[in-house]
């Protein structure tokens, strides 16, 4: 796969992030809720953060260790991002964020289903997993809606701002038993 894949769903286009997305990324991620609900989105979020993230995403694609997609509607409006990152042994981690104006419309679920299919069908993964903080049950509901099963509660798994936080892990296997 030389070119970055484009995934289409009923309402969405999942495509490569590009420089023209930076103002939207920075604007949307200015809301502190993203830092509070994720382990790796800083607050305040700067243009340098977005540029660094785009560069990391490109490097991961070049090395075939990760695919970070922009989530766009069919009018090509930027809604958020979703990615799948290889953790070795035919498994990968799913992660996503959606701008607040687009919450509760099913977009994250629709995008996640497409990424799961891509992971199993194209990347030939055995396991895809995702995690969420306990204070972000909406993310867990997305994981449940796409068929992931709760695998574990990982106690004090993440250290954030000097505090140890529990996270919930959900998984999906290519050969569900």
């Amino acid at each position: 796969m030389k070119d970055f894949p484009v995934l289409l769903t009923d309402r969405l286009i999942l495509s490569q992030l590009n420089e023209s997305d930076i103002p939207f990324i920075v604007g949307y991620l200015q809301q502190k809720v993203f830092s509070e609900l994720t382990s790796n989105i800083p607050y305040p979020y700067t243009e340098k953060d977005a540029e660094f993230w785009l560069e990391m995403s490109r490097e991961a694609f070049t090395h075939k260790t990760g695919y970070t997609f922009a989530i766009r509607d069919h009018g090509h409006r930027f809604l958020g991002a979703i990615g799948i990152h290889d953790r070795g042994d035919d498994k990968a981690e799913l992660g996503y964020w959606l701008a607040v104006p687009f919450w509760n419309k099913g977009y994250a679920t629709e995008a996640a289903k497409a990424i799961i299919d891509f992971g199993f069908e194209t990347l030939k993964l055995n396991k895809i997993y995702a995690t969420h903080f306990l204070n972000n049950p909406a993310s867990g509901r997305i994981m449940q809606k796409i068929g992931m099963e709760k695998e574990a509660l990982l106690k004090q798994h993440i250290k954030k701002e000097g505090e140890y936080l529990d996270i919930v892990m959900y998984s999906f296997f290519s050969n569900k038993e």
Side-chain angles (χ1 to χ4, degrees):
M1 258 187 322
K2 191 173 173 185
D3 295 325
F4 196 89
V6 175
L7 309 178
L8 301 174
T9 71
D10 289 344
R11 300 181 298 161
L12 302 173
I13 301 167
L14 306 181
S15 61
Q16 189 170 24
L17 293 165
N18 56 56
E19 280 75 18
S20 64
D21 297 323
I22 289 176
F24 299 103
I25 294 166
V26 173
Y28 290 142
L29 294 180
Q30 286 311 306
Q31 294 182 278
K32 194 164 177 37
V33 68
F34 290 104
S35 176
E36 293 167 349
L37 297 179
T38 66
S39 60
N40 58 358
I41 296 177
Y43 179 83
Y45 196 87
T46 67
E47 192 170 321
K48 283 193 186 308
D49 293 323
E51 290 167 354
F52 177 73
W53 182 51
L54 257 63
E55 184 57 33
M56 277 186 13
S57 298
R58 283 192 186 108
E59 285 180 22
F61 172 68
T62 299
H63 294 102
K64 302 298 183 237
T65 59
Y67 297 82
T68 303
F69 295 84
I71 302 171
R72 306 178 197 283
D73 63 16
H74 282 196
H76 296 277
R77 178 175 52 166
F78 183 87
L79 310 179
I82 189 164
I84 190 167
H85 295 86
D86 189 354
R87 299 299 184 221
D89 295 338
D90 297 327
K91 69 177 175 276
E93 183 174 12
L94 170 69
Y96 46 83
W97 66 267
L98 200 63
V100 173
F102 310 112
W103 285 8
N104 300 311
K105 295 177 175 22
Y107 293 131
T109 302
E110 190 171 327
K113 282 180 184 172
I115 294 295
I116 293 289
D117 290 345
F118 172 74
F120 289 135
E121 294 169 13
T122 303
L123 303 179
K124 305 299 184 202
L125 296 168
N126 177 59
K127 177 180 181 176
I128 298 173
Y129 69 94
T131 63
H132 72 86
F133 288 141
L134 295 179
N135 68 339
N136 189 5
S139 190
R141 283 193 295 279
I142 291 165
M143 295 170 199
Q144 292 166 359
K145 285 179 191 174
I146 64 171
M148 293 181 118
E149 294 182 17
K150 184 176 177 180
E151 184 172 336
L153 172 64
L154 304 172
K155 299 271 194 181
Q156 299 184 15
H157 195 73
I158 302 275
K159 184 177 183 181
K160 185 171 176 160
E161 298 173 6
E163 184 180 355
Y164 294 99
L165 301 172
D166 300 346
I167 59 172
V168 181
M169 178 191 239
Y170 282 81
S171 303
F172 206 127
F173 297 89
S174 63
N175 54 350
K176 285 183 81 170
E177 297 172 357

